[in-house]
Each structure stands twice: as C-alpha cells, then as structure tokens.
Amino acid sequence: MTLDSGATAWILTSTCLVMLMTPGVGLFYGGLVRRKNVISMLALAFLCYALVSVQWVVCGYSLAFGTDIAGFIGGLDFLGLSGVGMDATNLVIPDILFAAFQMVFACLTLAILTSGVAERIKLSAFVVFGLLWTTIVYDPLAHWAWGGGWAASLGALDFAGGTVVHISSGFGALAIALVIGKRSGFGESNMEPHNIPMTLLGAALLWFGWFGFNAGSAIAADGLASSAFMVTNTAAACGALTWLIASSIHGKPSAVGMVSGAIAGLVGITPAAGFVDVPASLVIGGVAGLLCYGALLWRMNRGLDESLDAWAIHGMGGLWGAIATGIFATVGATGLLSGDVYQFGINTLDAFVAVIYAFVVTYILAVIVNKTIGLRVSEDEEYVGLDISQHGERARS
C-alpha cells in the first residue's frame, strides 16, 4: 500500500501517548499504596515497559500477528521483527510503526496487572511471571482479536483492546491476587493511600494517553479517529460523574473515586470506540462508572485483596465494554439495537472466553511460579516495605 504521511505522523504521536500511559499507571498505583512501597510500584511500571519491549521484539509481535495457527496463535514469521520494515505492506503506515504501536499496548497491559500484587511481590518472581504471562496470555488474546485468530474470523469487534488489554489484565490481576494472598495486616492495619495528588496526576496522564490508545487504533488521521476521540472523552466524563454520584450515597464524593470512574468509562468505551456514536458513549461510560463502583464494593465486602482494583475497573469495565459493543454498534457494524443478534452473541462469547482464558491461565502460571521460585517477599521484607527490601531506596517526604 501507499504510505500516508499524515497517518504515519498521527500513529507516531499515538504511540508516544500510549507509552506515557505505562508510567501513568505507575503514578496512579504509586499514590494508592503506602509510602514504603511507592518506589516499588513506580519501578514495576517501568520494568513492565522494558521487559515487554524486549519480549515483543524477540517473539511477542510474531506470536500476535504472525501467520495464524489454528485460530489460536501466530507463527514465528516475524521472530526478532524479521521482515518488519519501513514499508507500508498491509496498512498506510510503516510495518515497523504498527509493531511499535502494538508494543506499547502490550507494555501497558502488564503494568495494569501489577494491581494484584502490590506491596508484596518479589521482583525476580515478577520478571519471570511477566515474561510468561505476556507470552502465554496477552499474545494469544491479541492474535484472537487483531491478528486473524478465531474471534476476528467470527466477526467479534474489539476496536482498541476491551478483551486484549482490559479483560486480560483485570481478571489476570484477580487470579494472581488469589494465589499470592492478602497483604499482611489487610483489613486490620491502616492501608490508606499515601499520596492522592500523585494518583490524580497518574489518572490525568491515563486520560490524556487514552486519546492515542483509542483514536490511534483507527490507524489513520481521519473521521473515524476523530469520532473515536470524541466518544472516548465523553465516556470518561460520564464515568467520572456517575461514580462520583454513586459514591456520594455511601459517603463523601472522593477525588480518587471520581478519577476511578473516569478510567472505568475509558475502559468501557475502548472496544467500542470505533463502532459507536456519541449518544451511545454517554450510556457506555455512565454504566461503566456504576458497574465498576459496584464491583469495587463487592470486592471490599468479601475481603478480597486485589489491591488497587484492576479487576473492578479494567476487568469488569472491559467485560461491559465488549458486550456493549455488540449492543450499541452503529458505525461500520451493527449491534443488537440495530437488530444484529449475531454481533451481540459473538461479542458476548468472545468476552466470556477471554475472561475464562485470562483468569484460568494466569492462575496456573502464578501457581507454577509460586511453587518454584516463590511470588512473595518474606514477612520481614513486606514489613519494612518493598522500596527498601527490593530496591534499597526510600521515598522522602
């Protein structure tokens, strides 16, 4: 195909925007943990970016976008990015830029999953687990949706990663949290966030970066990218407001709750961003805020220590968004409200298969790593904090 310089410039920009989301996750999570673990959470985000960047170049891109094998995984056509060059082969942007754009999605996904191991993961164990998880969970899911796998062949819609990014990381976080166990003193000791302004800054970077995440997935600088941009912002705003209103019923409307609602709205609109109009995004974002807030309350009431609520926000928000895409699609596809029962059915099937696969395989991988090298730091290391015990550093006031 002929290379489009405008599209290339936009996807270069979008790649930078999505890259910024990974340290944004680090700031968001870093403000929510206790001071003795803030460096650990920030370091995990940067580690995810470095680790997955190398994995993606070596084999991840090939497994996700190589020649289809049985609808499940890609082949090794692009091992070491072999054959991925500066020409525009199937799209209007250079092949290597497409690989880079997809790479930052993979990096972000692993960073989101760190919610489930906050304040208690052993760094060496996370390196092993992260490489296994990205290769065995993320790469197949990316192939199913975007690389010619079974979901894409059946017509499932996932514009920017409802199943690939959010369901995988959210339900993966829940699975590994169940394996690694609760933080010492959970439910007994004070575990309030140590720096809410840091969390708000992280949320701002996520909201900002999400425009590249969703609008960039149009792989063009055109009307579809513009529409995706607008519905993304609209859903985020609605999610922020509905969470704020719902939380007001249970107490004072918190700033952390408001930005959590915004992220819930962003998650919900992600798979639908290129397939729905603005009125639909109002509903998707608003419902996402309420649903994810309800999931957080359910998690708290049952004493589950999925520490920073990736499951409640990304997992449940991603599940809702995938199903909602099959309900509200009107742009380039039709959903249930337009009479397309098949689209609703295949999107719902795809979403629940992704939930089961991500949760079960993550749980198995976590058990294997835990039984071999151990996932968790010692009780003494957890007590002094991971900043000191894992990094030999301390955050100053």
Side-chain angles (χ1 to χ4, degrees), residues 31-54:
L32 292 174
V33 297
R34 290 166 289 181
R35 183 176 298 279
K36 63 184 180 179
N37 295 308
V38 60
I39 293 172
S40 169
M41 292 311 302
L42 290 164
L44 281 177
F46 281 95
L47 174 61
C48 289
Y49 190 82
L51 195 66
V52 179
S53 291
V54 173

Side-chain angles (χ1 to χ4, degrees), residues 14 34 55 60 93 105 107 115 147 152 165 174 188 223 228 242-243 248 253 259 261 298 307 312 330 341 355 358 366:
S14 295
R34 290 166 289 181
Q55 186 272 354
I93 63 173
F105 278 65
C107 297
S115 163
V165 176
L174 178 62
E188 301 170 358
T242 56
W243 187 306
S248 299
V259 298
W298 184 90
S307 318
T330 54
V341 178
V355 165

